[in-house]
C-alpha cells in the first residue's frame, strides 16, 4: 500500500532528503504500508478476491492510496 | 551555567525551553542543527516538538543530523544532556538512552496534566525534589509508551536509573495512572552515568503559576547547583 | 481545444457568465484562461452571491487596523501589539477525506495569519457532524479530530478552544471551520497589495503537484452521490513544511524586503497573483516553466489551478533577492523568481517564452459577477408548544439526559488530542467560556471563543444571527475580557434557492444589528455556500469567532466554583423561554417553536456590568447562561470542582421547568464571596441591572430545593460518559 502517485508524500520526501544527506543517492522513494495476510482459502483467484475486498473495505484509503497484492 | 538548546526543523518547544532556562538564570544559546560544533556548554537540551515532522519514526531523522554527532561526543565526555518529549525520542534513536518510545496505547495524541513521582532524587537533575514527591506535569505526545528489554529494565531498576514514573494523585503507580502504556509507568530515565535524562513530561511548561504550576522549577534549579 | 458547452459547465460557469467572459476578453478564452476565470469567478473566490449582503456589516472601529479584504483582519490591542485573526471553512474536503481535509483547513488558515506578519498563537475550531447514529459520523469525527490535532500539534501552535455539535442536518455535509489567531508588531504588518513595476514575483514553499485541481470549484458545488469520485482532488497537508515556511517567512519579515505577500490558498497561484496585482492596480507576468513542480509534465493549466499546500507568493523589493534566497535555503524550502510586476494591468502567462494566456486583471477581480439573488423572509413560528400538556418529567432525569447527550457532553476526549499548552502562554485551556492566551513576555492576554446556534438560526434567522454574536460576546465577558472584534464563517446551503438566500440575508442582518449595537466589528470572514446534498440543505450555520482583551492577567477568571458558602447571583431576567431549548429537544424531541428573544440593550448593560464587577475583583467565577438554561450552567460551574450549589426555589415563577431550563438570553451567573455581597448588590441596584440571588455554594452536593440532590461527582461522571462509550 502506498500513496497514489500524484498525492504528496511528506514522509517519503523527508526520508529521501535524509538518505541523500547521508550520502546514499537515490532517484525516488515512496513510503507505504505492508500487511501479511493468511487465509484459509486455497484457490488463488478466490483468495485474491477476498484480499481485494479487505483492501477496499478497510485497509486502503482509496481516496489517496493505491495497493498491490502479492502471493507469498 | 551555560546551556545549549538544539533546534531542529520542526522543533516547537525550543522557545519554551529557552524561556524557562532564561527565567532560571541559565546562560543559554540556541544551536541550529546544521552547525558542526557546539559552543562551550554545561547542559545540552534537546527540546520537544516534531523534528522533521516525526516522519519515518519520531526522532529518527534528527538522530542522524550533523549536530547530533557533537551531542554524542559531549555526552560521552560527561556533559549534561536533557531530552524532553521529542528530545527523549531523539536520545533513544541516537543510542544515548536505551529503549524506545512506542505509540501511546490508546493510539491517540495525549495532552493532559498528569501526576508523576520522583523515583531517584540523588542526581544532578533531581536533587531539589524530595524522594517520591508527586508532581503535576503536562504531557503532549503521540509516542510516549516507553519500552525496553528485560535486561535493561533490570538495570534501570537496580541502578536507580528510573527518574520519574506516572502515578495518580496519591502516588499509586498502576494501569489507571499510566496515560500511555509505558512499561512500569516509566516517564523518564537516566543513562548509566546519570548525566543524561530523557523524559516525556514537559517541565518547561510548569514554571509559571499564571499558566500552570511551578512543579517543573526544581528540575532546573537542581541543574543550576 | 475547442471550448464546448460541456467544458464550460464542468468549470462551474453558466452561459451568461461565459458570454460575459467573451465580452471582457473580446474573444473566446482558451482552456487555461477558462480555468482561471472559473477559479476566480466561483463563489469561493468572488463572493458573488454574498457580496451585497456582506457590505452591510460593520467593519470599522477604534481597534480595527484592517477589516475584511485582506488575508485576515487586524486589531490593535495597545503597546504596538496587534492581533491578526480569521476563520475559514474546509467543509467539503473534510467530508471526502476527513483527516487531510481538516488538517489542510488548519494549515490554510494559519498561512492567512502568518502571511500578514503574525506569529500564530492560538487555533480554534467549530466542527459540526451528523447524527451520532449515522454510519459515517464516527469515522468523520475521528478523522477530523485527528486531522486538526495532527496539524496543530506538529506545527506547535496550541489548539485552545472550539465547539463540536451533532445534528442530522449535517449527515451528508459536515462543517469544519478553523480559526487562527496571531500576534504581530503593529508597525510590522504585511499586506497583499503589490507596488512598483518590474519587481520580482517569488514563489516560496513546497513544490506544486496536481493536488486539489479545481478544489475551489468543488467547494462551490453541491455534493451529489458521485462526489466520492471527485476524491483525487483532495490535498495532503504537510505541517512540517508549513512550520519551516512559517519560520522562514517570519525571518524574512524582520526587515523590509517584502512589498506584498499572499498565501496560495484556494485557486493557488491564480488567485494569489491576481489579488496582489488587482490591489496594486498593476499587471503581473509569470514564467510558468520556472514553477517548482512535484510531478512531471505538468501543464500551465495544472500549475495555475493546483492547490498544493504550504506555498506563498511574495513580491520582493529590488536587491533583496539574495538575502531572501539564503533564508529560504536555510529552511530547505524552494525559492524561485517566477515572474515580475508590470504596468499592463494584465495577467500574462508565459510557458517557455510562449504566451499561453492573457487576461485583464480587472476582468478577474473587480468585474467578476455580483448577484443580487432573490430571497424570502422567514416569519417567526406560530406553533405554540403547550408545556403544561407535556408528560411530566423529573427535573433530575431531564438534567441527566441533557448532561449525557452528545451535544452537552464533556469534550475532553477531543481536546486531550490537541496540544493546548505548547508556546507556554495558555492561561485558560478549553472547557471554559473562552480560552485565554497571554501575549508573550507581557502581562496582558486575549480571550477567544467560537460559537454557533444553528437551531435558532433555522427557526428564525434574524434572531439567530443576533443571538450568536451576543453569545460570543458573553463568553468573552465571562472570562473578564473586553470583546473587541469578530471573524465569521458563514456556512449555508444553496444560494440559488430563495429560502436559503433568505436565511443568509437575515442571519447577516441579525449579525449586523448585534455587532453595531455592541460595537463589535467584523474584521474578517469566509462564506461557504452549497452545503448540502441532493437539494437537502444544511441548517444555516454562521459561526462567530471573537477576540477580546484582558489588560492584566493578574486575576484571570473562569466558570469553576471557587469556594463554599459563597453566593450565586444571576444577572438578567429569567422568563422561562422553552421553545427551541435543548430541554425540549433532548427530552421530548420537540424542535419546533421560536428562539428566545434578543434584547440588545439588556445584553449590553448586563455584559458591561459583569465586566465591571470582574475588573473590580468582586467576582470569584462567572459563566454565561446558554443552551440548557440556568440549571445546566450551574452544573457546569460545579462539575469540575469539589463544590456544589444549593438553589432555592424561586418565589415568583410558576413553572419550575421553565425557570430552570429556559434559554432566555443576556444572562450570567456570578459567584460572589460573602464579604463582597452587599457591595455587589449595591452596585447592581444603583446601575439598574436586574439580578436575583439564587442560592449558595456548598461542599460536594448539587441541590435544587425540594427537587433533587446529587453529588457533583455524579454530574461529572454523567457528563463524561458519552464520548468514551461512543
Amino acid at each position: 500500500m502506498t500513496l497514489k502517485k500524484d498525492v504528496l508524500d511528506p514522509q517519503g520526501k523527508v526520508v529521501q532528503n535524509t538518505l541523500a544527506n547521508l550520502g546514499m543517492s537515490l532517484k525516488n522513494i515512496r513510503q507505504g504500508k505492508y500487511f501479511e495476510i493468511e487465509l484459509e482459502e486455497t484457490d488463488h483467484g478466490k483468495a485474491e478476491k477476498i484480499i481485494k475486498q479487505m483492501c477496499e473495505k478497510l485497509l486502503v484509503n482509496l481516496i489517496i492510496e493505491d495497493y498491490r497484492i502479492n502471493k507469498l | 551555567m551555560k546551556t545549549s538548546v538544539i533546534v531542529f526543523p520542526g522543533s516547537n518547544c525550543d522557545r519554551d525551553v529557552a524561556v524557562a532556562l532564561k527565567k532560571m538564570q541559565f546562560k543559554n544559546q540556541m544551536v541550529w542543527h546544521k552547525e558542526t560544533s557546539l559552543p562551550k556548554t554545561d547542559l545540552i537540551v534537546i527540546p520537544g516538538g516534531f523534528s522533521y515532522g516525526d516522519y519515518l519514526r519520531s526522532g529518527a531523522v534528527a538522530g542522524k543530523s550533523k549536530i547530533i554527532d557533537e551531542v554524542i561526543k559531549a555526552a560521552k565526555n560527561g556533559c549534561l544532556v536533557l531530552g524532553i518529549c521529542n528530545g527523549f525520542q531523539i536520545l533513544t534513536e541516537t543510542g544515548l538512552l536505551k529503549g524506545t518510545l512506542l505509540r501511546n496505547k490508546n493510539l491517540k495524541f495525549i495532552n493532559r496534566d498528569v501526576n508523576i513521582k520522583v523515583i531517584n532524587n540523588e542526581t544532578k537533575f533531581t536533587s531539589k525534589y524530595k524522594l517520591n514527591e508527586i508532581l503535576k506535569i503536562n504531557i503532549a505526545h503521540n509516542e510516549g509508551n516507553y519500552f525496553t528489554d528485560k535486561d535493561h529494565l533490570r538495570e534501570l531498576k537496580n541502578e536507580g536509573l528510573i527518574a520519574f514514573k506516572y502515578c495518580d494523585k496519591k502516588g499509586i503507580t498502576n494501569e489507571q495512572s499510566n496515560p500511555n502504556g509505558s512499561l512500569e509507568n516509566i516517564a523518564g530515565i537516566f543513562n548509566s552515568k546519570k548525566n543524561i535524562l530523557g523524559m516525556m513530561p514537559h517541565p518547561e511548561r510548569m514554571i509559571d503559576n499564571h499558566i500552570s504550576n511551578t512543579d517543573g522549577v526544581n528540575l532546573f534549579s537542581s541543574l543550576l547547583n | 481545444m475547442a471550448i464546448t458547452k460541456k467544458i464550460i459547465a464542468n468549470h462551474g460557469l453558466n452561459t451568461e457568465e461565459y458570454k460575459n467572459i467573451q465580452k471582457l476578453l473580446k474573444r473566446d478564452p482558451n482552456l487555461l484562461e477558462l480555468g482561471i476565470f472559473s477559479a476566480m469567478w466561483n463563489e469561493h473566490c468572488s463572493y458573488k452571491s454574498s457580496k451585497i449582503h456582506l457590505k452591510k456589516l460593520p467593519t470599522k472601529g477604534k481597534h480595527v487596523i484592517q477589516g475584511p479584504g485582506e488575508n485576515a483582519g487586524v486589531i490593535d490591542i495597545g503597546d504596538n501589539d496587534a492581533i491578526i485573526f480569521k476563520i475559514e471553512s474546509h467543509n467539503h474536503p473534510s467530508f471526502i477525506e476527513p483527516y487531510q481535509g481538516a488538517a489542510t483547513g488548519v494549515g490554510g488558515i494559519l498561512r492567512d495569519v502568518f502571511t500578514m506578519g503574525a506569529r500564530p498563537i492560538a487555533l480554534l475550531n467549530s466542527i459540526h457532524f451528523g447524527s451520532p447514529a449515522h454510519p459515517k459520523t464516527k469515522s468523520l469525527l475521528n478523522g477530523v479530530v485527528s486531522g486538526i490535532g495532527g496539524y496543530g500539534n506538529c506545527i506547535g501552535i496550541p489548539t485552545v478552544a472550539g465547539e463540536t455539535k451533532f445534528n442530522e442536518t449535517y449527515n451528508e455535509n459536515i462543517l469544519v471551520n478553523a480559526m487562527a489567531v496571531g500576534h504581530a508588531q503593529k508597525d510590522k504588518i504585511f499586506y497583499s497589495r503589490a507596488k512598483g513595476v518590474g519587481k520580482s514575483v517569488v514563489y516560496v514553499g513546497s513544490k506544486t503537484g496536481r493536488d486539489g485541481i479545481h478544489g475551489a470549484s468543488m467547494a462551490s458545488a453541491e455534493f451529489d452521490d458521485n462526489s466520492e469520485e471527485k476524491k483525487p482532488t483532495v490535498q495532503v497537508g504537510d505541517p512540517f513544511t508549513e512550520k519551516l515556511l512559517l519560520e522562514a517567512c517570519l525571518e524574512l519579515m524582520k526587515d523590509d524586503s517584502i512589498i506584498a505577500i499572499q498565501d496560495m490558498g484556494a485557486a493557488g497561484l491564480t488567485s494569489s497573483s491576481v489579488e496582489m496585482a488587482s490591489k496594486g492596480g498593476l499587471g503581473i507576468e509569470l514564467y510558468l516553466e520556472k514553477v517548482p513542480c512535484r510531478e512531471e509534465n505538468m501543464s500551465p493549466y495544472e500549475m495555475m489551478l493546483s492547490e498544493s499546500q504550504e506555498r506563498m507568493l511574495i513580491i520582493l523589493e529590488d536587491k533583496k533577492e539574495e538575502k531572501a534566497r539564503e533564508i529560504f535555503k536555510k529552511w530547505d524550502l524552494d525559492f524561485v523568481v517566477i515572474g515580475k510586476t508590470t504596468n499592463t494591468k494584465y495577467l500574462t502567462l508565459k510557458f517557455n517564452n510562449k504566451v499561453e494566456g492573457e487576461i485583464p486583471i480587472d476582468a478577474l477581480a473587480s468585474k467578476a459577477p455580483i448577484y443580487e439573488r432573490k430571497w424570502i423572509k422567514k416569519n417567526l413560528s406560530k406553533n405554540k408548544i403547550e408545556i403544561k400538556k407535556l408528560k411530566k418529567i423529573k427535573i433530575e432525569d431531564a438534567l441527566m439526559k441533557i448532561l449525557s447527550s452528545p451535544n452537552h457532553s464533556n469534550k475532553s476526549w477531543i481536546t486531550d488530542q490537541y496540544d493546548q499548552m505548547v508556546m507556554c502562554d495558555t492561561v485558560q485551556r478549553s472547557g471554559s467560556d473562552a480560552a485565554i492566551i497571554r501575549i508573550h513576555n507581557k502581562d496582558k492576554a486575549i480571550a477567544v471563543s467560537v460559537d454557533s446556534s444553528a437551531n435558532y438560526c433555522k427557526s428564525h434567522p434574524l434572531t439567530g444571527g443576533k443571538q450568536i454574536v451576543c453569545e460570543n460576546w458573553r463568553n468573552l465577558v465571562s472570562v473578564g475580557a473586553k470583546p473587541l472584534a469578530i471573524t465569521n464563517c458563514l456556512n449555508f446551503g444553496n444560494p440559488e434557492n430563495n429560502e436559503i438566500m433568505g436565511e443568509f440575508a437575515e442571519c447577516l442582518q441579525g449579525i449586523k444589528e448585534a455587532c453595531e449595537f455592541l460595537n463589535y466589528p467584523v474584521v474578517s470572514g469566509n462564506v461557504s455556500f452549497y452545503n448540502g446534498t441532493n437539494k437537502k440543505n444544511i441548517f444555516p450555520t454562521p459561526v462567530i469567532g471573537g477576540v477580546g482583551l484582558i489588560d492584566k492577567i493578574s486575576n484571570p477568571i473562569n466558570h469553576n466554583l471557587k469556594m463554599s458558602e459563597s453566593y450565586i447571583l444571576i444577572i438578567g431576567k429569567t422568563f422561562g423561554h422553552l421553545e427551541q431549548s435543548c430541554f425540549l429537544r433532548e427530552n421530548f424531541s420537540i424542535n419546533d417553536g421560536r428562539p428566545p428573544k434578543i434584547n440588545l440593550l439588556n445584553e449590553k448593560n448586563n455584559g458591561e456590568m459583569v465586566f465591571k464587577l470582574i475588573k473590580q475583583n468582586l467576582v470569584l467565577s462567572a459563566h454565561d447562561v446558554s443552551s440548557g438554561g440556568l440549571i445546566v450552567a450551574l452544573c457546569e460551574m460545579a462539575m469540575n470542582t469539589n463544590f456544589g450549589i444549593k438553589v432555592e426555589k424561586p418565589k415568583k415563577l410558576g413553572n419550575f421547568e421553565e425557570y430552570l431550563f429556559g434559554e432566555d438570553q443576556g444572562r450570567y451567573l456570578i459567584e460572589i464571596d460573602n464579604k463582597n455581597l452587599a457591595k455587589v448588590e449595591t452596585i447592581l441596584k444603583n446601575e439598574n441591572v436586574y439580578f436575583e440571588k439564587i442560592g449558595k455554594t456548598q461542599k460536594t452536593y448539587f441541590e435544587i430545593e425540594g427537587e433533587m440532590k446529587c453529588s457533583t461527582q455524579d454530574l461529572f461522571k454523567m457528563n463524561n460518559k458519552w464520548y468514551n462509550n461512543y
Side-chain angles (χ1 to χ4, degrees):
Chain A
M1 239 172 79
T2 54
L3 284 168
K4 284 183 180 163
K5 196 177 151 285
D6 280 358
V7 171
L8 173 68
D9 176 12
Q11 306 218 35
K13 200 171 74 185
V14 164
V15 173
Q16 178 164 356
N17 290 342
T18 311
L19 286 171
N21 289 341
L22 291 171
M24 287 172 264
S25 73
L26 73 162
K27 215 172 136 198
N28 191 22
I29 196 169
R30 301 282 290 170
Q31 188 188 260
K33 274 185 207 149
Y34 174 79
F35 298 91
E36 281 184 11
I37 304 169
E38 239 178 277
L39 294 181
E40 297 286 352
E41 181 59 61
T42 48
D43 180 275
H44 184 82
K46 280 184 193 158
E48 190 162 324
K49 226 171 156 184
I50 296 170
I51 301 281
K52 207 167 165 228
Q53 240 184 356
M54 289 178 176
C55 286
E56 302 197 345
K57 283 225 163 118
L58 176 71
L59 301 177
V60 184
N61 179 352
L62 292 169
I63 304 156
I64 50 175
E65 292 167 336
D66 271 337
Y67 66 95
R68 247 186 2 243
I69 302 168
N70 290 328
K71 192 181 163 208
L72 288 178
Chain B
M1 189 162 176
K2 289 198 177 99
T3 60
S4 301
V5 172
I6 313 288
V7 184
F8 293 103
S11 295
N12 63 31
C13 301
D14 45 336
R15 187 187 79 173
D16 301 350
V17 168
V19 167
L21 290 168
K22 193 177 161 205
K23 188 169 177 174
M24 299 299 298
Q25 313 292 324
F26 290 85
K27 284 198 189 74
N28 182 48
Q29 210 171 333
M30 306 304 270
V31 180
W32 182 238
H33 70 112
K34 285 180 186 167
E35 301 286 331
T36 46
S37 67
L38 278 167
K40 197 174 163 341
T41 190
D42 307 301
L43 166 69
I44 299 167
V45 182
I46 307 184
F50 285 67
S51 57
Y52 297 92
D54 271 359
Y55 298 151
L56 192 60
R57 288 186 306 278
S58 327
V61 179
K64 301 282 174 287
S65 63
K66 282 181 187 161
I67 195 70
I68 274 298
D69 294 338
E70 297 303 306
V71 174
I72 294 172
K73 247 189 265 168
K76 293 208 164 136
N77 289 328
C79 181
L80 295 171
V81 180
L82 169 62
I84 302 167
C85 197
N86 194 223
F88 185 12
Q89 294 162 342
I90 293 169
L91 288 174
T92 62
E93 281 287 338
T94 60
L96 284 173
L97 289 175
K98 283 190 225 163
T100 191
L101 292 142
L102 305 172
R103 259 190 101 179
N104 296 342
K105 207 169 124 195
N106 70 352
L107 301 179
K108 290 193 181 347
F109 188 94
I110 304 170
N111 177 220
R112 261 210 313 265
D113 290 348
V114 298
N115 290 113
I116 60 172
K117 189 155 86 168
V118 180
I119 305 298
N120 182 349
N121 68 338
E122 293 175 345
T123 75
K124 287 184 172 157
F125 295 90
T126 52
S127 60
K128 287 275 165 106
Y129 289 115
K130 290 189 210 85
L131 186 65
N132 292 326
E133 185 174 341
I134 297 162
L135 316 172
K136 192 168 152 191
I137 302 213
N138 194 254
I139 55 168
H141 56 247
N142 241 323
E143 285 99 5
N145 177 354
Y146 183 76
F147 179 80
T148 194
D149 60 51
K150 271 188 194 143
D151 290 344
H152 181 230
L153 181 63
R154 199 175 310 123
E155 187 194 338
L156 286 177
K157 286 200 220 168
N158 294 344
E159 309 291 322
L161 304 181
I162 299 174
F164 306 105
K165 280 187 176 189
Y166 299 109
C167 63
D168 64 13
K169 272 184 216 159
K170 290 179 187 137
I172 297 166
T173 57
N174 57 17
E175 211 182 313
Q176 277 81 44
S177 58
N178 187 342
N180 53 24
S182 265
L183 195 63
E184 304 228 354
N185 285 41
I186 289 174
I189 59 162
F190 301 106
N191 65 333
S192 54
K193 284 192 200 152
K194 300 196 187 81
N195 67 319
I196 305 175
L197 166 63
M199 62 191 293
M200 289 315 293
H202 285 274
E204 81 280 14
R205 296 184 177 186
M206 319 311 274
I207 53 155
D208 185 342
N209 276 324
H210 276 314
I211 301 301
S212 46
N213 61 30
T214 50
D215 286 0
V217 166
N218 277 344
L219 186 118
F220 295 101
S221 55
S222 300
L223 286 162
L224 265 182
N225 276 13
Chain C
M1 188 184 197
I3 305 291
T4 61
K5 273 193 179 156
K6 194 170 169 217
I7 293 177
I8 296 167
N10 280 345
H11 280 78
L13 293 160
N14 63 33
T15 328
E16 269 315 297
E17 287 169 337
Y18 185 69
K19 278 187 193 151
N20 202 353
I21 291 171
Q22 289 170 311
K23 213 160 56 188
L24 286 164
L25 284 179
K26 300 186 186 87
R27 61 177 166 85
D28 287 346
N30 61 29
L31 186 66
L32 169 63
E33 290 166 337
L34 185 74
I36 288 172
F37 270 103
S38 132
M40 291 305 296
W41 281 18
N42 73 19
E43 200 61 64
H44 191 87
C45 286
S46 72
Y47 294 88
K48 58 189 171 190
S49 303
S50 55
K51 217 168 202 164
I52 58 162
H53 298 280
L54 294 172
K55 273 189 185 153
K56 296 176 192 158
L57 294 174
T59 58
K60 295 202 169 73
K62 199 171 82 184
H63 297 278
V64 179
I65 296 174
Q66 174 67 51
E70 267 292 338
N71 282 298
V74 186
I75 56 170
D76 188 345
I77 56 162
D79 317 315
N80 200 31
D81 292 312
I83 295 296
I84 301 186
F85 65 103
K86 191 184 179 187
I87 191 167
E88 203 161 71
S89 62
H90 226 213
N91 305 340
H92 295 87
S94 302
F95 182 73
I96 288 171
E97 216 305 307
Y99 184 95
Q100 297 298 346
T104 50
V106 172
I109 197 64
L110 283 170
R111 282 195 299 285
D112 278 334
V113 161
F114 72 76
T115 311
M116 298 196 71
R119 179 171 284 283
I121 57 173
L123 284 164
L124 297 89
N125 57 74
S126 166
I127 49 182
H128 289 71
F129 299 94
S131 153
H134 189 273
K136 280 183 189 156
T137 299
K138 195 170 172 177
S139 71
L140 287 169
L141 172 70
N142 263 314
V144 166
V145 169
S146 9
I148 291 173
Y151 210 98
N153 297 343
C154 180
I155 192 168
I157 293 151
T159 303
V160 295
E163 52 163 14
T164 305
K165 291 185 177 170
F166 301 90
N167 185 322
E168 59 183 19
T169 184
Y170 310 109
N171 276 356
E172 300 292 333
N173 193 121
I174 61 170
L175 302 184
V176 175
N177 294 179
M179 171 170 163
V181 184
H183 168 252
Q185 302 297 314
K186 194 178 147 188
D187 55 6
K188 272 277 176 203
I189 295 167
F190 293 83
Y191 297 96
S192 59
R193 187 161 82 93
K195 263 176 279 181
V197 171
K199 306 287 180 192
S200 300
V201 177
V202 185
Y203 172 116
V204 298
S206 277
K207 291 190 192 325
T208 298
R210 294 194 173 94
D211 316 281
I213 291 183
H214 265 192
S217 308
M218 176 174 92
S220 306
E222 275 180 87
F223 279 173
D224 52 43
D225 291 332
N226 292 326
S227 61
E228 308 230 341
E229 283 176 20
K230 291 182 182 168
K231 277 171 180 175
T233 61
V234 168
Q235 315 98 311
V236 169
D238 181 359
F240 168 60
T241 299
E242 177 121 322
K243 168 76 175 163
L244 305 184
L245 188 61
L246 161 68
E247 297 301 337
C249 286
L250 292 182
E251 201 171 322
L252 179 61
M253 284 164 170
K254 280 184 185 149
D255 70 8
D256 46 9
S257 306
I258 297 175
I259 298 173
I261 177 166
Q262 171 86 31
D263 139 55
M264 290 192 226
L269 195 47
T270 295
S271 69
S272 53
S273 54
V274 169
E275 273 172 42
M276 291 206 286
S278 163
K279 282 181 184 146
L282 293 170
I284 203 161
E285 189 169 284
L286 299 179
Y287 317 116
L288 294 174
E289 71 281 359
K290 298 199 168 157
V291 171
C293 287
R294 204 172 73 223
E295 314 291 340
E296 284 170 17
N297 301 324
M298 284 191 57
S299 66
Y301 180 94
E302 289 170 325
M303 288 180 210
M304 287 307 290
L305 296 179
S306 161
E307 294 192 347
S308 288
Q309 300 287 297
E310 293 93 22
R311 304 177 301 159
M312 296 270 195
L313 205 59
I314 299 176
I315 296 179
L316 267 191
E317 201 53 86
D318 296 337
K319 294 182 190 143
K320 297 285 187 181
E321 211 176 295
E322 279 326 297
K323 197 188 149 199
R325 188 188 302 276
E326 274 309 305
I327 292 174
F328 282 87
K329 197 175 149 197
K330 171 185 162 190
W331 292 98
D332 298 319
L333 294 166
D334 274 308
F335 176 102
V336 185
V337 178
I338 61 161
K340 62 168 195 254
T341 57
T342 66
N343 58 8
T344 61
K345 301 197 178 183
Y346 268 75
L347 172 69
T348 308
L349 302 173
K350 290 185 177 170
F351 190 60
N352 295 326
N353 286 324
K354 187 172 163 259
V355 176
E356 297 280 340
E358 212 169 15
I359 309 173
I361 296 280
D362 57 4
L364 294 169
S366 59
K367 287 185 184 155
I370 293 177
Y371 296 131
E372 187 160 2
R373 296 197 189 274
K374 285 207 185 83
W375 60 273
I376 308 172
K377 205 171 157 63
K378 184 152 185 182
N379 293 321
L380 279 166
S381 163
K382 294 212 171 72
N383 295 348
K384 266 274 154 227
I385 294 157
E386 305 240 10
I387 307 295
K388 283 183 189 124
K389 286 191 185 159
L390 294 174
K391 201 176 84 195
K392 208 56 191 148
I393 178 168
K394 272 170 80 183
I395 300 282
E396 185 168 354
D397 294 345
L399 173 65
M400 293 305 179
K401 188 91 194 257
I402 293 172
L403 290 182
S404 60
S405 71
N407 280 320
H408 286 84
S409 284
N410 181 304
K411 308 224 161 21
S412 57
W413 179 88
I414 293 173
T415 52
D416 278 2
Q417 296 184 53
Y418 304 147
D419 192 341
Q420 304 193 50
M421 284 289 283
V422 62
M423 297 184 88
C424 291
D425 284 313
T426 309
V427 176
Q428 176 64 55
R429 303 178 215 176
S430 54
S432 183
D433 287 318
I436 302 174
I437 308 294
R438 180 172 61 186
I439 302 303
H440 196 59
N441 277 333
K442 306 238 167 132
D443 67 350
K444 63 181 172 186
I446 54 163
V448 287
S449 173
V450 283
D451 299 280
S452 65
S453 314
N455 291 318
Y456 292 170
C457 289
K458 179 69 189 170
S459 167
H460 193 242
L462 182 65
T463 309
K466 282 189 225 175
Q467 193 273 342
I468 20 160
V469 174
C470 292
E471 176 162 356
N472 181 264
W473 200 75
R474 283 199 296 271
N475 280 330
L476 299 185
V477 167
S478 300
V479 298
K482 181 180 164 50
L484 295 182
I486 64 166
T487 179
N488 57 19
C489 196
L490 306 166
N491 307 283
F492 287 80
N494 185 341
E496 294 158 49
N497 171 327
N498 299 351
E499 276 171 39
I500 302 296
M501 201 57 216
E503 289 173 349
F504 183 78
E506 291 199 278
C507 274
L508 242 73
Q509 180 64 26
I511 292 172
K512 168 195 140 84
E513 286 175 25
C515 285
E516 271 173 358
F517 199 91
L518 298 172
N519 193 12
Y520 201 24
V522 182
V523 296
S524 59
N526 162 243
V527 180
S528 171
F529 278 130
Y530 299 99
N531 287 291
T533 311
N534 294 339
K535 309 290 166 210
K536 233 176 125 188
N537 292 290
I538 61 154
F539 280 11
T541 316
V543 175
I544 301 287
V547 175
L549 177 65
I550 297 172
D551 50 17
K552 258 207 167 45
I553 51 160
S554 54
N555 198 11
I557 113 158
N558 59 27
H559 69 235
N560 290 330
L561 294 177
K562 296 295 176 307
M563 59 194 283
S564 71
E565 296 298 308
S566 57
Y567 283 88
I568 301 292
L569 270 52
I570 183 162
I571 309 280
K573 216 165 198 163
T574 303
F575 300 96
H577 183 100
L578 275 187
E579 289 181 16
Q580 287 297 330
S581 70
C582 79
F583 171 76
L584 292 183
R585 191 166 286 115
E586 299 296 344
N587 290 293
F588 299 94
S589 303
I590 297 175
N591 299 309
D592 223 347
R594 308 173 169 193
K597 273 192 197 131
I598 297 290
N599 179 326
L600 290 171
L601 185 65
N602 285 347
E603 284 287 353
K604 190 158 192 264
N605 287 344
N606 296 353
E608 284 175 353
M609 192 67 242
V610 171
F611 178 71
K612 217 186 274 175
L613 292 174
I614 292 174
K615 273 211 110 173
Q616 291 178 37
N617 284 328
L618 293 170
V619 179
L620 294 168
S621 63
H623 193 20
D624 89 302
V625 181
S626 61
S627 179
L630 175 57
I631 189 169
V632 170
L634 286 167
C635 285
E636 287 165 348
M637 292 175 84
M639 230 151 27
N640 296 305
T641 72
N642 297 320
F643 304 111
I645 299 174
K646 186 171 180 177
V647 180
E648 291 158 25
K649 206 151 197 174
K651 280 146 201 121
K652 290 175 209 161
L653 208 88
N655 186 325
F656 214 31
E657 282 89 6
E658 289 179 346
Y659 176 75
L660 291 174
F661 293 99
E663 297 187 2
D664 311 296
Q665 299 292 298
R667 293 182 301 161
Y668 299 81
L669 289 165
I670 52 175
E671 180 191 5
I672 306 289
D673 191 336
N674 196 5
K675 66 174 195 244
N676 289 324
L677 184 67
K679 193 172 174 189
V680 169
E681 285 184 316
T682 311
I683 296 174
L684 289 167
K685 276 176 195 153
N686 288 345
E687 301 272 341
N688 252 331
V689 168
Y690 185 87
F691 73 99
E692 287 168 52
K693 210 158 48 181
I694 62 166
K696 276 177 94 170
T697 59
Q698 61 187 10
K699 279 207 179 115
T700 322
Y701 289 102
F702 185 86
E703 199 176 343
I704 310 267
E705 194 188 339
E707 285 287 344
M708 67 170 283
K709 183 175 181 177
C710 70
S711 78
T712 52
Q713 270 293 314
D714 290 344
L715 296 175
F716 179 84
K717 276 185 204 147
M718 198 47 100
N719 194 231
N720 275 278
K721 188 166 86 166
W722 188 80
Y723 274 98
N724 292 323
N725 295 337
Y726 182 50

